[in-house]
Amino acid sequence: MQQWDEFVLGRDADPIEVSTSADQRNAALSLINQSKHVLTIYSRDLDHAVYDNPELVEAVRQLAIRSRVSEIKILVQNSERIVQQGHRLIELSRRLESLIKIRKVTEEYQHYNGSFLVVDRRGLIHNKAGESYRAIVNFNAPSEAALLLNFFDEVWERSEPDPELRALGV
């Protein structure tokens, strides 16, 4: 298992291949903990094995309240599983509604099979396959991060808040 505390956001530019949910979760935790302002997530259903754990949710909460310029945006393709099973990150977004924005991807982008997390426009986890845990982690990839964020922004502008996610837990 990788030792994620060895990597520094904005410094370490070597891509790291991962293939397990634990490595993705721990890489995400390290990236979010090092983030100063911006977290962007594009995911099919906020995979529970990666995103639904107390340490990661606390890291997101700390980022959200760290600064008035913090920006956290999440796009999900399918909210059905999240609504049925519950999700700590969604519960947090409901409590910090003005700080954490979540939208559901419109039908026109449902074909995209990948997922990604980008922090501070440079650190990332990019899973091109979507269904497996094979991904590339990079703590300093501003060019690749810019491409992912351009796609994210395009989808975000065409997406809408999902009432199902806002009503979770009620």
Side-chain angles (χ1 to χ4, degrees):
M1 186 175 287
Q2 189 69 47
Q3 297 297 319
W4 295 106
D5 56 353
E6 298 173 3
F7 299 97
V8 176
L9 181 62
R11 183 189 76 191
D12 296 310
D14 292 330
I16 306 148
E17 291 184 30
V18 296
S19 60
T20 68
S21 60
D23 271 341
Q24 269 199 31
R25 179 181 58 250
N26 292 328
L29 182 59
S30 181
L31 285 163
I32 295 166
N33 277 331
Q34 293 183 56
S35 176
K36 300 289 186 228
H37 301 292
V38 182
L39 169 63
T40 306
I41 299 172
Y42 186 106
S43 176
R44 178 159 299 287
D45 61 3
L46 284 177
D47 188 303
H48 285 268
V50 176
Y51 294 108
D52 190 19
N53 67 78
E55 295 84 11
L56 189 133
V57 171
E58 178 58 20
V60 172
R61 188 184 78 75
Q62 289 297 322
L63 176 60
I65 64 173
R66 182 172 297 142
S67 165
R68 62 184 174 93
V69 295
S70 291
E71 178 179 280
I72 300 171
K73 291 182 177 177
I74 301 170
L75 281 169
V76 296
Q77 287 180 311
N78 182 353
S79 59
E80 185 175 307
R81 181 175 167 202
I82 298 167
V83 171
Q84 288 175 349
Q85 296 181 0
H87 200 291
R88 289 177 183 97
L89 193 52
I90 300 303
E91 291 168 12
L92 176 67
S93 74
R94 291 181 71 238
R95 289 194 311 272
L96 300 177
E97 193 173 355
S98 65
L99 303 174
I100 301 172
K101 306 290 185 203
I102 300 181
R103 292 186 179 178
K104 185 173 179 183
V105 174
T106 61
E107 189 65 37
E108 91 184 272
Y109 293 98
Q110 289 292 324
H111 68 280
Y112 181 73
N113 198 34
S115 64
F116 55 86
L117 173 149
V118 178
V119 298
D120 289 353
R121 296 176 172 71
R122 65 179 48 253
L124 60 87
I125 301 172
H126 188 192
N127 178 336
K128 294 178 184 177
E131 295 300 321
S132 74
Y133 291 107
R134 292 201 176 293
I136 298 296
V137 178
N138 196 318
F139 281 72
N140 192 21
S143 295
E144 185 179 352
L147 292 173
L148 293 171
L149 291 171
N150 285 340
F151 173 71
F152 184 94
D153 290 342
E154 176 184 321
V155 178
W156 183 266
E157 289 305 315
R158 291 176 170 88
S159 299
E160 299 177 354
D162 184 347
E164 293 293 322
L165 294 176
R166 277 194 254 144
L168 186 66
V170 173

